[in-house]
Amino acid sequence: KIPNTPLVFSVIDHTRCLVQGLPLPNNGAIQIGDTVEFALAPGNCGDESPKVDVGIRDQEEDVTLDAVVTDAGVYKYQYCGGEPGNYDINITIGGCHIPGSPFKCEVLDPNQFAIFGLNLQDGYALVCEVVSFQIQGQPPDGETFSIIAHGPQADLNCELKEINEGLRQSSFVPIEPGSYQVFVECASKHVPGSPFTVNVADPSKCQILGIPSQLQIGENEEMIVKTRGAGEGELFAQVSKEDETSYINISKDDQGLGTYHIILEPLRVGEIQLEVRWACYPIPQSPLKLSICDSNQCKVYGQ
């Protein structure tokens, strides 16, 4: 018998950990002195006592949180907001982040102005959909907030409603694509974080030209994507599934004036699904279902 055998391994699935209390409401914003409470139930991960690590991280250091473990195997945690700043709540099981981790936490000083919680997707907003953000801070007596979104063609007044004392939510609906400069002022002065830019896209204005009916190994194909009038954004082209990446190479070439060339280099026989997005939003005709063939594998018999 070999020493230290047999070997015993625990196989865990960190994605099955149950979480309560995260992500935090209000886009992760809390005030100094607020207490955050959350709980984990890792017992479904395949091990009765998996290695659970929970910590708070800012730009300078990590702070490990200790758990109170109940008889039912629930791990309870508390965190009290200290210095203002942006923090990550990291939760790992067996060294792997659980779904959603790291969770965002922003500690705010109620005596200072701050803008946070801008609801953009990968940095972009969609035309005719609500753009919202929150404002922390109480205006001096007799003063109020002035909020205007300066659009490509016109200025938009932003709605403002009070959530609770010292916390307000503002919103506007962009009616055309382009770049908006949002001014948030109090007593005729910009609050910290103002002005800020919101890039708005309209992927419905995009068009794909030259879609191939079939791809042939050894022959590159080229499609044209027109994005003129679609607003601010970036073009993305990729296969839908990770296991399809070995079937094709995809590259793009910016021709200027809102015109892009997408070059397709097929590598393997099969079926793929190609997603084309503008500013992270799918454009019309996407996804494309394409088949790849290899005529060199075709054999002719007889005369």
Side-chain angles (χ1 to χ4, degrees):
K1 180 181 179 180
I2 300 177
N4 301 320
T5 60
L7 302 176
V8 179
F9 298 93
S10 295
V11 180
I12 62 172
D13 183 357
H14 60 283
T15 65
R16 299 177 64 182
C17 179
L18 303 179
V19 185
Q20 185 178 25
L22 293 174
L24 299 175
N26 297 323
N27 294 302
I30 65 173
Q31 294 186 3
I32 292 176
D34 286 351
T35 298
V36 173
E37 296 183 351
F38 58 94
L40 310 176
N44 294 327
C45 296
D47 191 325
E48 293 183 357
S49 301
K51 179 176 172 52
V52 180
D53 294 300
V54 178
I56 305 293
R57 178 178 177 81
D58 63 9
Q59 295 181 351
E60 297 181 355
E61 62 179 348
D62 294 319
V63 177
T64 301
L65 299 185
D66 295 324
V68 175
V69 184
T70 69
D71 293 338
V74 177
Y75 292 55
K76 293 186 176 182
Y77 297 87
Q78 285 188 344
Y79 168 67
C80 183
E83 292 294 324
N86 293 300
Y87 297 83
D88 288 336
I89 302 177
N90 296 295
I91 302 177
T92 61
I93 295 182
C96 299
H97 282 275
I98 69 171
S101 176
F103 298 93
K104 300 300 181 183
C105 178
E106 184 175 5
V107 180
L108 303 173
D109 185 344
N111 298 316
Q112 297 178 354
F113 289 126
I115 299 172
F116 63 97
L118 188 60
N119 68 330
L120 303 182
Q121 181 173 333
D122 291 339
Y124 297 99
L126 196 60
V127 71
C128 294
E129 292 198 359
V130 176
V131 175
S132 65
F133 54 94
Q134 294 178 336
I135 305 170
Q136 171 75 41
Q138 189 66 32
D141 291 341
E143 300 291 347
T144 185
F145 289 108
S146 172
I147 309 173
I148 300 177
H150 298 279
Q153 302 295 331
D155 294 343
L156 302 177
N157 289 318
C158 301
E159 294 185 359
L160 184 66
K161 65 179 181 179
E162 187 170 354
I163 299 176
N164 53 48
E165 185 176 358
L167 183 63
R168 292 167 172 80
Q169 178 167 295
S170 181
S171 63
F172 69 96
V173 178
I175 58 177
E176 59 183 338
S179 182
Y180 288 71
Q181 292 291 318
V182 182
F183 284 43
V184 182
E185 298 180 344
C186 184
S188 300
K189 294 182 179 180
H190 285 285
V191 306
S194 172
F196 60 90
T197 302
V198 175
N199 290 320
V200 178
D202 184 359
S204 68
K205 299 289 182 64
C206 297
Q207 186 180 12
I208 306 176
L209 305 175
I211 301 174
S213 58
Q214 192 176 61
L215 298 174
Q216 170 68 40
I217 291 179
E219 299 179 7
N220 291 357
E221 294 284 352
E222 190 173 281
M223 300 187 303
I224 298 174
V225 180
K226 299 284 189 178
T227 66
R228 193 167 187 177
E232 301 293 327
E234 183 180 354
L235 185 69
F236 298 91
Q238 60 187 33
V239 291
S240 301
K241 300 179 181 178
E242 186 175 352
D243 59 2
E244 293 177 349
T245 57
S246 62
Y247 285 77
I248 192 168
N249 286 332
I250 304 169
S251 58
K252 65 179 180 181
D253 185 15
D254 187 354
Q255 300 290 306
L257 300 177
T259 299
Y260 294 81
H261 289 180
I262 297 179
I263 299 94
L264 306 175
E265 180 188 0
L267 303 174
R268 294 174 56 191
V269 174
E271 304 285 332
I272 65 167
Q273 187 166 275
L274 180 66
E275 294 183 356
V276 184
R277 297 173 177 266
W278 177 248
C280 80
Y281 297 100
I283 71 176
Q285 303 164 277
S286 177
L288 306 175
K289 293 184 178 180
L290 303 174
S291 62
I292 302 173
C293 66
D294 185 359
S295 60
N296 293 325
Q297 295 183 4
C298 180
K299 296 182 180 180
V300 179
Y301 297 91
Q303 296 181 353

